[in-house]
Amino acid sequence: MNDLAPLLTPEGRALLDEVRGTAPADELAVATRLRREHPAGLVSAALGQARLRQRAAAKFGAEDAERMFFTPNGVEQSTRASVAAYRAERLRALGVTSVADLCCGIGGDAIALARAGIRVLAVDRDPLTAAAARANADALGLARLIDVREADVTEVDTASYDAVFVDPARRGGRGRIFDPEAYSPPLSWAVRAALGAPHAALKVAPGIPHEAVPAEAEAEWISDGGDVKEAVLWFGTAPGAVRATLLPGPRSLLGRGLPDPEVRSVGRYLYEPDGAVIRAHLVAEAAEELDGGLIDPTIAYVTADALRATPYATAYEITDRLPFNVKKLKALLREREVGILTVKKRGSAVEPEELRRKALPKPQGPHSVTVFLTRVAGAPTMLLGRPAGLT
């Protein structure tokens, strides 16, 4: 996996076609057979690439993933294609026609930008990663729009480009890096690069503290299918603005600087805000749309008496409110013939799987229940309900 060149030869490409879709349990038999006619190293590289392509299908789709080339870190750190496409469209709508993609990785964002008709300079200092980005541009027919350069991004002149996109490395030898100044390159360097361009987008971890967002930036938190994927700091758009964007859609909720919602007693419906809404600190904006309030001043659950459609939260109809008590919950589930128990928690130290095991040791019955482990007015509480018909 340290050199892609053998896989780009006719023999390597033929092997990749032959091992496509190989199940892990069959790898040894397939490798033994293929090594009779091909070098062992090439067979191992092809099987390794096939595994990476299978993993990458969740982010890139099977059609693209089966043609692309990956590194282990590239699969792990690449942007999901739907998120990259959304970001590329925002840049295109700003009138951007050329982008310097710094820390391009295996080229996922460069591909999305090129498909939006934007010319891309894709830069990465790692030789294998840059080789993968170059191979991917060629494999997807985008080489005329993507120029891949192996270089230190801090030494690249971006003055001739309409926009800068920076995706700093946020993983080290010990796993994820949470301090923005420990990114590679540091966030402070990325901000300086952004301020020197007409437009810029900096991809950061969704857990970035709001106080770390520069005053010149618009901060956007993005979720896809309910999972928070990233935050983006935009420059040249709306300084100080905050938004939560939900994919597919896109649906964007803009911050209006609202005060925290009032605390109310639990009503008929409980709304669970999307993770991007919570990360963006826009629960108040979502609650206003629902004419709702909080069940506790420290918990991001919204309660209301009316059921309203919203893309920014999932609605549940609450049937029971109980003090936290496993025995009472177990008896209630048995009485109602519950066979499927979904456990959600916010503001509780109890692990969902632990409660599920104790409260429903022998699932039986045709009914399903969702239980929320949370606090109501500071007290540990269990709220029982079911997904509402309108969301």
Side-chain angles (χ1 to χ4, degrees), residues 20-305:
R20 178 183 300 163
T22 300
D26 299 330
E27 282 190 2
L28 180 58
V30 170
T32 300
R33 174 175 57 82
L34 292 176
R35 284 169 181 163
R36 295 170 187 154
E37 300 179 5
H38 304 280
L42 182 58
V43 172
S44 295
L47 285 168
Q49 192 61 224
R51 284 195 302 272
L52 293 176
R53 287 176 167 183
Q54 290 169 10
R55 287 173 52 196
K59 284 188 174 182
F60 291 90
E63 184 177 351
D64 279 352
E66 286 179 357
R67 294 187 288 166
M68 294 173 65
F69 295 85
F70 298 96
T71 66
N73 285 339
V75 172
E76 184 71 26
Q77 299 179 20
S78 291
T79 304
R80 183 180 290 263
S82 55
V83 178
Y86 162 74
R87 200 185 315 104
E89 178 55 28
R90 272 206 74 179
L91 286 167
R92 188 201 63 77
L94 290 169
V96 169
T97 61
S98 61
V99 171
D101 177 2
L102 308 180
C103 308
C104 69
I106 55 92
D109 287 285
I111 289 166
L113 291 164
R115 284 177 167 167
I118 297 172
R119 181 171 56 86
V120 186
L121 170 65
V123 184
D124 203 285
R125 68 181 179 183
D126 179 68
L128 179 61
T129 303
R134 192 174 293 110
N136 289 335
D138 182 64
L140 299 180
L142 298 168
R144 63 183 181 82
L145 285 172
I146 302 175
D147 175 21
V148 179
R149 185 180 304 174
E150 181 188 326
D152 186 328
V153 297
T154 64
E155 299 175 359
V156 175
D157 182 5
T158 63
S160 63
Y161 291 85
D162 296 339
V164 168
F165 173 67
V166 188
D167 181 6
R170 296 181 299 283
R171 286 183 179 271
R174 298 183 179 179
R176 292 184 179 182
I177 296 172
F178 297 98
D179 177 7
E181 283 306 297
Y183 292 173
S184 180
L187 180 60
S188 56
W189 178 88
V191 170
R192 289 195 297 272
L195 293 173
H199 294 94
L202 311 183
K203 177 181 172 182
V204 295
I208 185 172
H210 280 235
E211 56 269 23
V213 175
E216 303 90 341
E218 168 197 343
E220 178 178 34
W221 279 260
I222 303 174
S223 69
D224 188 13
D227 295 328
V228 183
K229 294 302 180 184
E230 65 181 54
V232 184
L233 305 183
W234 294 92
F235 294 79
T237 55
V242 176
R243 74 168 69 205
T245 295
L246 282 56
L247 302 176
R251 301 288 187 90
S252 286
L253 181 64
L254 296 175
R256 301 193 299 280
L258 298 181
D260 291 340
E262 64 177 6
V263 177
R264 301 183 188 178
S265 59
V266 177
R268 182 176 177 183
Y269 296 99
L270 187 75
Y271 292 86
E272 182 181 25
D274 183 271
V277 173
I278 295 173
R279 292 281 194 176
H281 296 179
L282 298 181
V283 173
E285 282 74 2
E288 184 181 70
E289 288 194 2
L290 298 165
D291 191 23
L294 299 180
I295 63 171
D296 184 277
T298 63
I299 303 296
Y301 281 138
V302 176
T303 186
D305 293 321

